[in-house]
Amino acid sequence: MPDALQEGLRRQLEALEAKIAGGEALAGWKVGLTSGQSRDAMGRGFRPFGYVLESRVFDSGASLSLADFTAIGVENEVCFTVGETIRSDGTDVDRERVGRALAGASPGFEINEPRLPRDASTTDRLADNLSQWGIVAGPPRPVADIDFEALEVTLSRDGEPVQAVAAAGHIDDHFVSIAALAVQLGRFGLALEAGQRVITGAFGRSPVSAPSRWRGEFGAVLGTVEVTFT
């Protein structure tokens, strides 16, 4: 891993440690740069992580105040729950091991908060937790019941469709992404712990600029997720 990327992730984890020391709790992780035009943006095959705080995990139907943000955006993502700890010593983890370890998958939103200028360095973007703010997730379904490659996700605002994005050709294999996350965490002496949540990449995405209700429809097999901004 290039030094700039290593340094960015190291600084991110230092910030996480400070938040935990201040009373926050770690809820899980995101895998970045796995879909669409963002794929490989920091180097071919590089899949950085970001952390998710327990205080910023919400159930579907949550309401958030725009006054709490300077800028905000939503992305539809699949949110996985880890059932069994996945630990790596820095060597590969196969997707079959990941599939066995996952307790469920939920329709979700990642809430992003752009905090850096457009010309911020890669190191700073990693240190800033890849703009992660929080997640909203619906009820989990068994992963064995879901054909993730066949998913098509529709993002809507106040009942009006904004985007419809099919998984095929757009987003990396979710289990492969989680395996890559476990390897990256292992290089820092960390693991994917049982009970943690993991989001694995964006389908539809949009900035939020006014009070509105957002809905992600992941099909009958995975369900829907909603969040309202007031």
Side-chain angles (χ1 to χ4, degrees):
M1 185 190 308
D3 290 346
L5 304 181
Q6 180 86 8
E7 174 66 10
L9 293 175
R10 184 190 64 77
R11 285 169 50 192
Q12 181 194 125
L13 291 175
E14 286 180 351
L16 172 60
E17 289 175 4
K19 289 181 182 296
I20 291 172
E24 290 279 9
L26 175 66
W29 305 92
K30 67 176 285 182
V31 191
L33 311 184
T34 61
S35 64
Q37 294 181 349
S38 71
R39 190 188 277 121
D40 297 327
M42 294 183 183
R44 185 172 179 81
F46 178 61
R47 300 293 181 261
F49 57 73
Y51 58 82
V52 179
L53 298 175
E54 185 67 44
S55 63
R56 296 178 181 177
V57 176
F58 303 90
D59 291 333
S60 179
S63 181
L64 303 175
S65 173
L66 288 173
D68 293 334
F69 306 96
T70 55
I72 201 71
V74 292
E75 296 181 354
N76 276 134
E77 305 208 14
V78 179
C79 179
F80 293 90
T81 301
V82 180
E84 300 176 5
T85 296
I86 307 172
R87 189 177 302 278
S88 169
D89 59 2
T91 57
D92 286 349
V93 174
D94 63 41
R95 71 180 307 281
E96 287 72 25
R97 179 181 172 191
V98 170
R100 293 193 301 269
L102 295 175
S106 304
F109 278 110
E110 179 179 15
I111 310 300
N112 285 311
E113 183 181 34
R115 296 176 287 261
L116 297 178
R118 290 182 178 274
D119 61 353
S121 69
T122 295
T123 300
D124 286 346
R125 291 188 184 282
L126 292 170
D128 189 53
N129 203 25
L130 298 172
S131 300
Q132 215 294 313
W133 186 85
I135 60 175
V136 179
R141 308 280 181 93
V143 295
D145 295 346
I146 302 163
D147 181 354
F148 292 101
E149 183 71 7
L151 283 178
E152 181 169 320
V153 180
T154 300
L155 174 66
S156 62
R157 177 184 59 238
D158 295 329
E160 295 294 326
V162 174
Q163 293 172 323
V165 180
H170 172 76
I171 193 165
D172 290 351
D173 181 303
H174 300 282
F175 292 6
V176 172
S177 293
I178 294 172
L181 171 62
V183 172
Q184 287 277 34
L185 291 174
R187 291 171 178 152
F188 291 90
L190 300 169
L192 280 174
E193 304 286 354
Q196 289 182 343
R197 306 287 192 98
V198 179
I199 52 175
T200 50
F203 287 83
R205 63 180 67 183
S206 179
V208 179
S209 57
S212 46
R213 178 174 55 85
W214 295 81
R215 180 181 178 93
E217 299 178 57
F218 288 70
V221 71
L222 195 53
T224 62
V225 60
E226 292 189 353
V227 63
T228 298
F229 293 93
T230 60

